[in-house]
Amino acid sequence: MTAFKLAVVSAGLSKPSSTRLLADRLAESTVRQLALQGREVEVTVVELRDLAVDIANNFVTGFPAAALREAIEAVTDADALIAVTPIFTASYSGLFKSFFDVIDNDALTGKPVLVAATGGTPRHSLALEHAVRPLFSYLRAVVLPTAVYAATDDWGATGDGRTDGLPRRIDRAAGELAALLAGRSPATPSLPEQVVPFAEQLAALRV
């Protein structure tokens, strides 16, 4: 059975970062829950901090460098996407937004996307709903109902009678993604475009 392709985009700036940690936890839970259904998953992680210069150059030149092109292909060819950003000034980071700005507007149409974010305080949690979710809705992706926000105090917290702890929220969101993927077939790899040399095209015109 063909494995699902899962792309994970992390826009954390530090190394290590809580953003990457949250991205890894979401991916691990998704893989684990799909494995219970007998489905395999190939995970590709895209660290945007390593592509910051390439992304900036792409805006100037209009052409992606090799590493950026591979990252874009990993995201656009994936069956699903986990996108995690730190929250700066009540919104997604500029690096996060810039990466998705260089992707074609139609490339994520219909793709399941699990959105998540990290921040220093719970007060920024609504940024997922007023900034991150609308971004992917505009790109016509299928944004999962549960978005995961992790504040500094959430790490290691178990929650209370009214609030789920971070591990439970991660598993719930990942479970939604796993359930959605389980009802689909993995994408069939597209065949490379056949490029006809100019000399052959010219010869055909002379016949």
mmCIF file of all heavy atoms in Angstrom, residues 79-100:
data_model
loop_
_atom_site.group_PDB
_atom_site.id
_atom_site.type_symbol
_atom_site.label_atom_id
_atom_site.label_comp_id
_atom_site.label_asym_id
_atom_site.label_seq_id
_atom_site.Cartn_x
_atom_site.Cartn_y
_atom_site.Cartn_z
ATOM 1 N N ASP A 79 0.305 14.811 0.749
ATOM 2 C CA ASP A 79 -1.120 14.519 0.918
ATOM 3 C C ASP A 79 -1.732 15.403 1.996
ATOM 4 O O ASP A 79 -2.945 15.648 1.992
ATOM 5 C CB ASP A 79 -1.314 13.052 1.295
ATOM 6 C CG ASP A 79 -0.887 12.105 0.178
ATOM 7 O OD1 ASP A 79 -1.573 12.068 -0.857
ATOM 8 O OD2 ASP A 79 0.150 11.433 0.340
ATOM 9 N N ALA A 80 -0.915 15.869 2.931
ATOM 10 C CA ALA A 80 -1.402 16.722 4.012
ATOM 11 C C ALA A 80 -0.244 17.570 4.534
ATOM 12 O O ALA A 80 0.931 17.265 4.298
ATOM 13 C CB ALA A 80 -2.006 15.892 5.134
ATOM 14 N N LEU A 81 -0.612 18.623 5.262
ATOM 15 C CA LEU A 81 0.388 19.575 5.748
ATOM 16 C C LEU A 81 0.131 19.903 7.211
ATOM 17 O O LEU A 81 -1.026 20.113 7.617
ATOM 18 C CB LEU A 81 0.321 20.852 4.905
ATOM 19 C CG LEU A 81 1.114 22.084 5.374
ATOM 20 C CD1 LEU A 81 2.613 21.809 5.311
ATOM 21 C CD2 LEU A 81 0.752 23.290 4.521
ATOM 22 N N ILE A 82 1.196 19.932 7.986
ATOM 23 C CA ILE A 82 1.160 20.477 9.350
ATOM 24 C C ILE A 82 1.982 21.760 9.313
ATOM 25 O O ILE A 82 3.163 21.727 8.945
ATOM 26 C CB ILE A 82 1.749 19.501 10.374
ATOM 27 C CG1 ILE A 82 0.867 18.251 10.482
ATOM 28 C CG2 ILE A 82 1.876 20.155 11.747
ATOM 29 C CD1 ILE A 82 1.437 17.159 11.382
ATOM 30 N N ALA A 83 1.370 22.892 9.645
ATOM 31 C CA ALA A 83 2.040 24.192 9.551
ATOM 32 C C ALA A 83 2.069 24.845 10.928
ATOM 33 O O ALA A 83 1.010 25.096 11.527
ATOM 34 C CB ALA A 83 1.323 25.090 8.549
ATOM 35 N N VAL A 84 3.267 25.141 11.421
ATOM 36 C CA VAL A 84 3.426 25.668 12.776
ATOM 37 C C VAL A 84 4.265 26.942 12.740
ATOM 38 O O VAL A 84 5.354 26.963 12.159
ATOM 39 C CB VAL A 84 4.092 24.639 13.711
ATOM 40 C CG1 VAL A 84 4.005 25.105 15.163
ATOM 41 C CG2 VAL A 84 3.440 23.266 13.569
ATOM 42 N N THR A 85 3.752 27.997 13.361
ATOM 43 C CA THR A 85 4.452 29.283 13.368
ATOM 44 C C THR A 85 4.533 29.836 14.784
ATOM 45 O O THR A 85 3.621 29.633 15.587
ATOM 46 C CB THR A 85 3.722 30.311 12.480
ATOM 47 O OG1 THR A 85 4.402 31.586 12.551
ATOM 48 C CG2 THR A 85 2.280 30.509 12.925
ATOM 49 N N PRO A 86 5.596 30.549 15.105
ATOM 50 C CA PRO A 86 5.579 31.326 16.344
ATOM 51 C C PRO A 86 4.681 32.546 16.124
ATOM 52 O O PRO A 86 4.504 32.992 14.986
ATOM 53 C CB PRO A 86 7.049 31.731 16.535
ATOM 54 C CG PRO A 86 7.622 31.723 15.151
ATOM 55 C CD PRO A 86 6.889 30.651 14.394
ATOM 56 N N ILE A 87 4.104 33.049 17.185
ATOM 57 C CA ILE A 87 3.253 34.234 17.089
ATOM 58 C C ILE A 87 4.060 35.461 17.492
ATOM 59 O O ILE A 87 4.586 35.540 18.590
ATOM 60 C CB ILE A 87 2.005 34.109 17.982
ATOM 61 C CG1 ILE A 87 1.173 32.910 17.531
ATOM 62 C CG2 ILE A 87 1.177 35.385 17.943
ATOM 63 C CD1 ILE A 87 0.674 32.988 16.102
ATOM 64 N N PHE A 88 4.161 36.417 16.551
ATOM 65 C CA PHE A 88 4.834 37.685 16.800
ATOM 66 C C PHE A 88 3.835 38.814 16.569
ATOM 67 O O PHE A 88 3.184 38.873 15.520
ATOM 68 C CB PHE A 88 6.028 37.879 15.851
ATOM 69 C CG PHE A 88 7.123 36.860 16.018
ATOM 70 C CD1 PHE A 88 7.788 36.362 14.914
ATOM 71 C CD2 PHE A 88 7.487 36.402 17.267
ATOM 72 C CE1 PHE A 88 8.808 35.431 15.056
ATOM 73 C CE2 PHE A 88 8.500 35.470 17.420
ATOM 74 C CZ PHE A 88 9.161 34.981 16.313
ATOM 75 N N THR A 89 3.704 39.718 17.549
ATOM 76 C CA THR A 89 2.804 40.864 17.413
ATOM 77 C C THR A 89 1.405 40.413 16.999
ATOM 78 O O THR A 89 0.797 40.932 16.064
ATOM 79 C CB THR A 89 3.348 41.891 16.398
ATOM 80 O OG1 THR A 89 4.760 41.999 16.527
ATOM 81 C CG2 THR A 89 2.735 43.268 16.648
ATOM 82 N N ALA A 90 0.909 39.387 17.669
ATOM 83 C CA ALA A 90 -0.456 38.884 17.499
ATOM 84 C C ALA A 90 -0.737 38.305 16.125
ATOM 85 O O ALA A 90 -1.883 38.263 15.688
ATOM 86 C CB ALA A 90 -1.473 39.970 17.825
ATOM 87 N N SER A 91 0.293 37.831 15.427
ATOM 88 C CA SER A 91 0.063 37.211 14.125
ATOM 89 C C SER A 91 1.195 36.235 13.824
ATOM 90 O O SER A 91 2.130 36.077 14.606
ATOM 91 C CB SER A 91 -0.022 38.280 13.029
ATOM 92 O OG SER A 91 -0.430 37.705 11.799
ATOM 93 N N TYR A 92 1.093 35.560 12.646
ATOM 94 C CA TYR A 92 2.140 34.641 12.229
ATOM 95 C C TYR A 92 3.422 35.409 11.950
ATOM 96 O O TYR A 92 3.426 36.629 11.744
ATOM 97 C CB TYR A 92 1.734 33.855 10.991
ATOM 98 C CG TYR A 92 0.946 34.627 9.961
ATOM 99 C CD1 TYR A 92 1.483 35.731 9.314
ATOM 100 C CD2 TYR A 92 -0.363 34.264 9.642
ATOM 101 C CE1 TYR A 92 0.766 36.442 8.371
ATOM 102 C CE2 TYR A 92 -1.096 34.972 8.705
ATOM 103 C CZ TYR A 92 -0.525 36.061 8.078
ATOM 104 O OH TYR A 92 -1.242 36.770 7.154
ATOM 105 N N SER A 93 4.530 34.689 11.923
ATOM 106 C CA SER A 93 5.816 35.345 11.670
ATOM 107 C C SER A 93 5.930 35.749 10.203
ATOM 108 O O SER A 93 5.280 35.161 9.319
ATOM 109 C CB SER A 93 6.971 34.417 12.035
ATOM 110 O OG SER A 93 7.089 33.361 11.094
ATOM 111 N N GLY A 94 6.764 36.747 9.934
ATOM 112 C CA GLY A 94 6.974 37.185 8.558
ATOM 113 C C GLY A 94 7.581 36.091 7.702
ATOM 114 O O GLY A 94 7.249 35.960 6.522
ATOM 115 N N LEU A 95 8.457 35.279 8.286
ATOM 116 C CA LEU A 95 9.092 34.197 7.541
ATOM 117 C C LEU A 95 8.050 33.156 7.125
ATOM 118 O O LEU A 95 8.070 32.655 5.995
ATOM 119 C CB LEU A 95 10.178 33.549 8.402
ATOM 120 C CG LEU A 95 10.948 32.379 7.789
ATOM 121 C CD1 LEU A 95 11.655 32.808 6.501
ATOM 122 C CD2 LEU A 95 11.959 31.818 8.787
ATOM 123 N N PHE A 96 7.139 32.837 8.036
ATOM 124 C CA PHE A 96 6.065 31.882 7.747
ATOM 125 C C PHE A 96 5.214 32.378 6.585
ATOM 126 O O PHE A 96 4.969 31.664 5.617
ATOM 127 C CB PHE A 96 5.213 31.720 9.005
ATOM 128 C CG PHE A 96 4.102 30.712 8.903
ATOM 129 C CD1 PHE A 96 4.350 29.364 9.106
ATOM 130 C CD2 PHE A 96 2.799 31.121 8.650
ATOM 131 C CE1 PHE A 96 3.319 28.432 9.047
ATOM 132 C CE2 PHE A 96 1.763 30.199 8.586
ATOM 133 C CZ PHE A 96 2.026 28.851 8.789
ATOM 134 N N LYS A 97 4.780 33.630 6.659
ATOM 135 C CA LYS A 97 3.937 34.197 5.600
ATOM 136 C C LYS A 97 4.693 34.272 4.285
ATOM 137 O O LYS A 97 4.143 33.975 3.207
ATOM 138 C CB LYS A 97 3.462 35.592 6.004
ATOM 139 C CG LYS A 97 2.624 36.327 4.955
ATOM 140 C CD LYS A 97 1.330 35.587 4.652
ATOM 141 C CE LYS A 97 0.311 36.499 3.975
ATOM 142 N NZ LYS A 97 0.771 37.095 2.732
ATOM 143 N N SER A 98 5.964 34.644 4.329
ATOM 144 C CA SER A 98 6.753 34.785 3.102
ATOM 145 C C SER A 98 6.891 33.457 2.371
ATOM 146 O O SER A 98 6.863 33.413 1.141
ATOM 147 C CB SER A 98 8.139 35.354 3.425
ATOM 148 O OG SER A 98 8.033 36.672 3.928
ATOM 149 N N PHE A 99 7.055 32.355 3.133
ATOM 150 C CA PHE A 99 7.179 31.052 2.485
ATOM 151 C C PHE A 99 5.918 30.721 1.702
ATOM 152 O O PHE A 99 5.989 30.271 0.545
ATOM 153 C CB PHE A 99 7.464 29.966 3.514
ATOM 154 C CG PHE A 99 7.493 28.580 2.939
ATOM 155 C CD1 PHE A 99 8.528 28.175 2.105
ATOM 156 C CD2 PHE A 99 6.476 27.668 3.214
ATOM 157 C CE1 PHE A 99 8.556 26.892 1.555
ATOM 158 C CE2 PHE A 99 6.501 26.387 2.688
ATOM 159 C CZ PHE A 99 7.546 26.012 1.850
ATOM 160 N N PHE A 100 4.771 30.935 2.305
ATOM 161 C CA PHE A 100 3.536 30.602 1.604
ATOM 162 C C PHE A 100 3.200 31.622 0.516
ATOM 163 O O PHE A 100 2.422 31.318 -0.391
ATOM 164 C CB PHE A 100 2.389 30.428 2.602
ATOM 165 C CG PHE A 100 2.531 29.168 3.409
ATOM 166 C CD1 PHE A 100 3.015 29.206 4.704
ATOM 167 C CD2 PHE A 100 2.230 27.940 2.846
ATOM 168 C CE1 PHE A 100 3.182 28.041 5.442
ATOM 169 C CE2 PHE A 100 2.404 26.766 3.570
ATOM 170 C CZ PHE A 100 2.875 26.811 4.871
#
